[in-house]
Amino acid sequence: MVQTTPLADRFGRIATDLRVSLTDRCNLRCEYCMPAEGLDWLPTDDVLTDDEVVRLVTIGVEHLGIREVRFTGGEPLIRRGLVGIVERTHALGVETSLTTNGLGLERTAAALAAAGLDRVNVSIDSIRPETFAAVTRRDRLHDVVAGLRAAHAAGLGPVKLNAVLLRGVNDDQAPELLRWAVEHGYQLRFIEQMPLDAQHGWSRTEMVTADEIQRLLEKEFTLEPAEEPRGSAPAELFTVDGGPATVGIIASVSRPFCGDCDRVRLTADGQVRNCLFAREESDLRGAMRSGASDEEVADRWVTAMAGKRAGHGIDDPTFLQPDRPMSAIGG
């Protein structure tokens, strides 16, 4: 019988939610994430193979108490082995989900559902084609909408939407986006823009805060605090016009939820990050490729988590943005 050691830090938090980046590549160029010309992608040999991804996920589940696995990117739908990775992860008996920009979801939703994927989170910052194209630098809103329909039809629900409001770009469209989500049965979450862009252009003064988002929505809807879901879900939930529909607001910057964090991240090149904003990583890929046993890899992972800081420190004047942008870390 495999002995389980929890991924605990010195503040008593235990990580049970694993975010696995499958690629740093993306087929959009969202202005709050990367420049128009894209980035220097990881060399192919540096990226974990399908077998290596599954091995690390298995170690996390069987040795370290991981109970939820979410696949991210970059854009995970461009990973050729995605369906097989999902199927093998589902066989471990954990909840599996996917965060995606929705491009390609129309043709893959049914296969992902058959492989055991439980649900999807889709990023969509506007339902106006011209605004969507301005934010993402791609005229692909119709593909995202088609992907959402396919995900819903495949039973990958509840289908959740993630939206970031940018001042002067789409911050006037929050009620419109919520109304559309409610009409189509999707669960919308607004997320404060975080300092994870490759250009390091994030500005606190330009960020649309959670309080602002709530005020924008309350111009057209009645919002009441809703019962929070189990676990450490970061969204503050509100019922919309009495329910049953809800909307979430994630105040990652202005009201951080670090004290309840139960997440750990694995980058596409096999590095453990104990915090989204960590500036240190622990190399599991190198250990695996050097012949380390599952137990040795697990021990290295435990050590990496033990050093997790109390919070991300964005409010600290000495805060430094991570070297890797969001596309290379994985959400």
Side-chain angles (χ1 to χ4, degrees), residues 41-199:
W41 310 122
L42 289 168
T44 301
D45 290 345
D46 287 357
V47 176
L48 295 174
T49 66
D50 293 1
D51 287 343
E52 288 172 334
V53 170
V54 174
R55 182 184 173 194
L56 286 176
V57 171
T58 302
I59 291 171
V61 172
E62 295 184 349
H63 292 260
L64 303 171
I66 293 297
R67 297 197 297 268
E68 301 176 36
V69 178
R70 179 181 294 189
F71 295 108
T72 68
E75 174 45 52
L77 288 179
I78 66 178
R79 174 80 181 224
R80 290 185 178 179
L82 174 61
V83 172
I85 291 171
V86 168
E87 186 172 28
R88 293 164 71 184
T89 299
H90 172 73
L92 297 172
V94 293
E95 180 180 317
T96 58
S97 59
L98 181 78
T99 294
T100 173
N101 62 28
L103 300 187
L105 190 56
E106 182 181 22
R107 67 174 181 272
T108 56
L112 287 168
L117 190 71
D118 291 300
R119 58 183 177 82
V120 293
N121 286 49
V122 179
S123 298
I124 180 169
D125 302 316
S126 175
I127 55 167
R128 299 182 190 178
E130 65 278 8
T131 305
F132 182 91
V135 172
T136 66
R137 303 186 177 101
R138 299 289 188 273
D139 184 15
R140 302 292 299 276
L141 177 61
H142 56 288
D143 291 315
V144 177
V145 172
L148 288 169
R149 287 196 297 263
H152 181 76
L156 295 174
V159 175
K160 295 186 177 182
L161 309 182
N162 298 331
V164 175
L165 295 184
L166 304 176
R167 196 174 301 282
V169 178
N170 65 341
D171 54 334
D172 62 329
Q173 300 174 31
E176 176 183 319
L177 186 55
L178 176 56
R179 183 173 296 103
W180 183 84
V182 170
E183 287 175 354
H184 290 82
Y186 305 137
Q187 295 186 3
L188 178 61
R189 303 289 183 265
F190 289 98
I191 306 173
E192 287 181 337
Q193 183 188 2
M194 293 180 283
L196 289 167
D197 59 309
Q199 310 91 302

Side-chain angles (χ1 to χ4, degrees), residues 218-277:
E218 287 178 336
K219 290 180 180 180
E220 298 189 29
F221 301 95
T222 299
L223 303 185
E224 296 290 343
E227 182 178 349
E228 297 293 332
R230 63 175 180 80
S232 60
E236 297 178 67
L237 281 185
F238 301 89
T239 58
V240 179
D241 291 341
T246 62
V247 63
I249 302 176
I250 301 178
S252 308
V253 176
S254 62
R255 291 193 292 275
F257 37 87
C258 301
D260 295 323
C261 182
D262 65 352
R263 297 175 182 175
V264 60
R265 288 173 168 81
L266 183 66
T267 66
D269 56 348
Q271 311 299 304
V272 167
R273 297 179 64 90
N274 57 29
C275 172
L276 185 60
F277 295 94

